[in-house]
Amino acid sequence: MSANGAVWGRVRSRLRAFPERLAVCGAEAAAYGRCVQASTAPGGRLSKDFCAREFEALRSCFAAAAKKTLEGGC
């Protein structure tokens, strides 16, 4: 039982750190949000992959943040 508690303790600490790690992706999130907003505005043309470049930058940032969280790095 105690080994299971140790595992959950590590998981909880990683989950607590995750929002802080994602906070570094603010610029990428803002760029993606601006692209989606512009494409859905009146006269905009929302279509598949319209904001793919911005989304990929955001996804890459999130992946790097998640990797740091899983590795327990700063």
Side-chain angles (χ1 to χ4, degrees):
M1 254 321 176
S2 64
N4 193 23
V7 170
W8 282 111
R10 287 193 307 268
V11 169
R12 275 193 295 273
S13 69
R14 289 178 184 156
L15 287 175
R16 284 187 194 116
F18 199 64
E20 294 170 6
R21 303 272 196 257
L22 292 182
V24 302
C25 299
E28 291 85 352
Y32 180 64
R34 281 191 302 272
C35 181
V36 170
Q37 182 183 21
S39 66
T40 57
R45 54 180 185 92
L46 181 62
S47 62
K48 185 176 187 231
D49 296 331
F50 185 74
C51 299
R53 184 175 23 139
E54 292 85 353
F55 177 78
E56 184 57 34
L58 180 58
R59 191 197 67 74
S60 295
C61 185
F62 281 174
K67 184 176 180 179
K68 285 182 183 178
T69 299
L70 291 175
E71 291 173 350
C74 292

